[in-house]
Amino acid sequence: MASNLQPVRGTRDLLPADCRKFRLIEETARRLSALYGFEEIETPIFEPAALFKRGLGDTSDIVSKEMYVFQDRGGDELVLRPEGTAGVARAFISEGLSQLTPLKLFYRGPMFRYERPQKGRYRQFYQMGVELLGVEKPQADLECLALGYQILKALPFAGDMASSITLHLNTIGDLESRAAFREKLVAYLSTRKSELSQDSLVRLERNPLRILDSKDEGDKRVISEAPTLEASLNDTSKKFFDDVVAGLDVLGLPYKIDPLLVRGLDYYCHTVFEFTTTALGAQNAICSGGRYDNLISDLGGPKTAGVGWAAGVDRLALMMQETPEALPTVAIVPMGDEAEAPALKLCQELRGAGLRVDMAYGGNMGKRMKRADKVGASHAVILGSNELSRGVAQVKVLATGAQSEIVLSTLVSHLTKEMKG
Ligand code: HAM
C-alpha cells in the first residue's frame, strides 16, 4: 500500500534544502581541487565484487560485512561501490592512464555500506574524494592534506564548528615495517587473549592491526601496553613520515599525531589520516585517507604510488546550519485577465536574461503578493492594464515596500542590475 512505502533503512531523500547544501559542498571542493590541478572522473556505481575483495582486503569490515553484493541477470557478482578509491584504481588500469601520471583525480557520488544507521551514518551516503596517482614523494601527501584543509576552511560551517576539526595523522609504515610490527603485536596480544573483546579475538586471527583502534575499554587497556608501531618502522618509513610532518609544519597546518590510528582498509601504507570533528558525536570522521602504493599493482596494474582522501558530504552538511540562499527571485504579478499574456511573455524575457522568475498560476493580487513572499522574492513586478497602456510596470522592493515605475523596455536591465547588486 502506498502509505506504507518508506525509503529503505539507512537511505533518505535529499530535499531541495539538503541538495542546496550538498551542491555548495561539492562545488567548493571541485573548484578548490581544480586549483591544485585535480580533474573530475566519474566511475560506475557498481563494479565487479572481485575489485573490492582484492583491493580493500577480505578481512576489512567493508568486505566482510558491509557490501551490497548481488548477482545480475547474467550471473555476474557485482557490488554497489562502498568507496571510490578502488574504482579509480580500476579505471587507471582499464583505461590505460599510466602514461598520464602524475594524475590527479577528483570524484563525488553515492557510496553504499550495510552499516547500522545512525546520525551521520547511512547505508547510502555521499563522498567526494581526491586521488593523486604516480607520485612516491611525500609532497603528494602534503598536497592532498593542504587541499583537505583548504576545503574545510572554505565551507560555511555553523557557529564554532570549524574550530571543532582536528587532523589526526599517523604512519603505518611500508610492508616490511608492518610485517615486523604485526609479528610483535600478535605475540604480545596472544599473551593477553583473555582480556580481549570478542571482536578483537576475531581480528587477532585476521587483521590484528585493527585492534589498535578498538573502542572497547578492556582492549584499550591491553593496547596501552602493547609494542608501538613506531618502534617497528624501518628508516625509509621513518624518513617518509618525518618529511610529511615537516611539510605540514612549513605550511602551518596543525595536526595531532595519533599512534593508534590505523584505518580500516587494507590498501594503506605510510601516511594515514582523518579529519575529525567533536561536533557530530560518534560519527566523527569527516574526511579520511592515506597512501596506497600497492593497490594498483595488487589489482594487476603497473606499480603506481597513490595517495588521497574522501570526505563524507552528509556529515559536512550536518555541520552547516544555514541553507545557502537560493537564487534571488522576481515575482511577476499580473492584475486582470488582459495582463496575463504580457506577464507570461515578460517571464520568458526575464528568464532568458538569466533571472529567476516566479509567477503564481492564479489568484488575485493579494494572493499573488503572498506567494511572492513565500518564494522569497526580492522584487515584485506589478503589471495592470493601466501600466500596459503606458508601457511601464511597477517594481516593488519587497524588503522595504519601496515602489517605482519602470519603462518596460528597460525592465530587464533595471532588474538585472538590482538583483546582481
Ligand atoms: P573511509 O574512511 O571509509 O575512507 O570513508 C571516508 C569518509 O566517508 C569518512 O571519513 C566519512 O566522512 C564518510 N563515511 C564513511 N562511511 C559513511 C557512512 N556510512 N555514512 C556517512 N558517511 C560515511 C574511504 O572511503 C577511502 N576510500 C578514502 C581514501 C581515498 N583513501 C585514499 N583515498
Side-chain angles (χ1 to χ4, degrees):
M1 247 167 293
S3 60
N4 288 335
L5 282 178
Q6 295 292 327
V8 172
R9 188 165 137 79
T11 72
R12 64 212 174 108
D13 300 302
L14 298 173
L15 299 179
D18 302 311
C19 288
R20 280 207 291 278
K21 280 190 193 172
F22 271 53
R23 191 164 329 123
L24 178 73
I25 294 168
E26 291 176 359
E27 279 173 5
T28 302
R30 187 183 286 113
R31 178 173 55 80
L32 294 176
S33 304
L35 300 184
Y36 288 69
F38 286 84
E39 289 204 277
E40 192 159 356
I41 184 171
E42 189 144 345
T43 62
I45 286 176
F46 51 89
E47 296 268 6
L51 170 64
F52 300 104
K53 290 184 181 166
R54 274 164 68 187
L56 277 48
D58 268 341
T59 60
S60 64
D61 281 352
I62 294 184
V63 172
S64 59
K65 49 188 186 198
E66 293 170 1
M67 288 203 305
Y68 281 91
V69 191
F70 63 100
Q71 244 186 27
D72 73 3
R73 287 169 188 273
D76 288 334
E77 199 188 19
L78 305 177
V79 163
L80 294 182
R81 64 181 181 193
E83 59 103 57
T85 311
V88 170
R90 197 266 312 130
F92 181 85
I93 300 167
S94 52
E95 302 291 335
L97 305 180
S98 61
Q99 302 306 316
L100 303 178
T101 57
L103 183 61
K104 299 172 163 190
L105 298 169
F106 167 86
Y107 58 89
R108 29 78 43 211
M111 308 289 163
F112 306 84
R113 294 183 194 176
Y114 191 81
E115 291 189 271
R116 198 165 48 78
Q118 53 176 268
K119 184 181 165 198
R121 186 161 76 196
Y122 312 99
R123 289 181 175 174
Q124 173 172 337
F125 62 99
Y126 294 80
Q127 278 187 349
M128 53 189 195
V130 294
E131 312 294 352
L132 202 170
L133 302 174
V135 180
E136 279 168 20
K137 295 183 173 172
Q139 279 98 313
D141 308 52
L142 282 168
E143 215 166 45
C144 291
L145 286 164
L147 172 59
Y149 253 114
Q150 192 167 347
I151 292 170
L152 293 174
K153 204 170 143 204
L155 294 176
F157 291 129
D160 53 6
M161 291 267 182
S163 61
S164 76
I165 299 173
T166 308
L167 168 63
H168 297 264
L169 187 69
N170 193 24
T171 176
I172 56 169
D174 59 8
L175 281 174
E176 183 188 77
S177 307
R178 236 171 15 261
F181 175 62
R182 190 189 155 111
E183 206 171 298
K184 285 188 205 154
L185 184 67
V186 171
Y188 163 78
L189 291 174
S190 304
T191 65
R192 313 238 348 217
K193 265 188 178 167
S194 59
E195 297 162 72
L196 289 177
S197 68
Q198 206 50 45
D199 268 357
S200 290
L201 283 175
V202 176
R203 285 186 169 142
L204 183 58
E205 302 297 322
R206 310 187 56 175
N207 197 351
L209 257 67
R210 285 306 311 280
I211 298 177
L212 293 187
D213 65 8
S214 167
K215 305 278 178 286
D216 179 271
E217 288 305 321
D219 290 344
K220 280 188 187 169
R221 261 194 310 278
V222 176
I223 289 154
S224 66
E225 292 160 27
T228 64
L229 215 164
E230 198 189 349
S232 294
L233 294 179
N234 58 20
D235 289 346
T236 317
S237 301
K238 250 189 234 145
K239 163 106 176 66
F240 194 94
F241 191 56
D242 288 348
D243 288 350
V244 172
V245 168
L248 286 172
D249 289 338
V250 168
L251 296 175
L253 299 174
Y255 54 87
K256 195 169 165 283
I257 294 180
D258 179 350
L260 299 180
L261 178 67
V262 288
R263 310 255 314 123
L265 300 158
D266 283 5
Y267 53 59
Y268 289 116
C269 63
H270 292 294
T271 324
V272 287
F273 57 87
E274 255 173 27
F275 288 89
T276 65
T277 171
T278 49
L280 290 183
Q283 303 314 311
N284 62 1
I286 49 175
C287 172
S288 3
R291 178 164 276 278
Y292 49 89
D293 292 347
N294 304 305
L295 172 63
I296 291 176
S297 49
D298 284 351
L299 293 174
K303 179 97 179 102
T304 309
V307 56
W309 51 250
V313 180
D314 311 73
R315 293 182 189 175
L316 295 172
L318 282 173
M319 295 170 71
M320 285 163 49
Q321 219 162 42
E322 294 295 316
T323 307
E325 288 287 312
L327 280 176
T329 303
V330 187
I332 307 296
V333 180
M335 289 196 305
D337 286 348
E338 68 277 23
E340 289 283 343
L344 202 61
K345 186 90 185 97
L346 188 59
C347 286
Q348 184 190 36
E349 197 184 336
L350 295 179
R351 287 170 179 152
L355 296 174
R356 179 177 197 238
V357 177
D358 181 84
M359 186 166 90
Y361 297 103
N364 59 21
M365 182 169 169
K367 259 202 169 146
R368 288 177 189 249
M369 290 305 282
K370 257 199 203 130
R371 171 160 172 102
D373 267 341
K374 201 170 144 204
V375 299
S378 58
H379 294 70
V381 175
I382 301 158
L383 212 56
S385 50
N386 176 301
E387 281 80 11
L388 280 171
S389 66
R390 294 187 293 118
V392 298
Q394 304 295 332
V395 174
K396 189 168 180 176
V397 180
L398 293 173
T400 61
Q403 193 164 315
S404 48
E405 196 168 276
I406 305 293
V407 177
L408 277 176
S409 59
T410 64
L411 191 61
V412 168
S413 63
H414 174 79
L415 285 172
T416 305
K417 219 156 80 204
E418 288 262 308
M419 315 282 288
K420 292 187 176 155

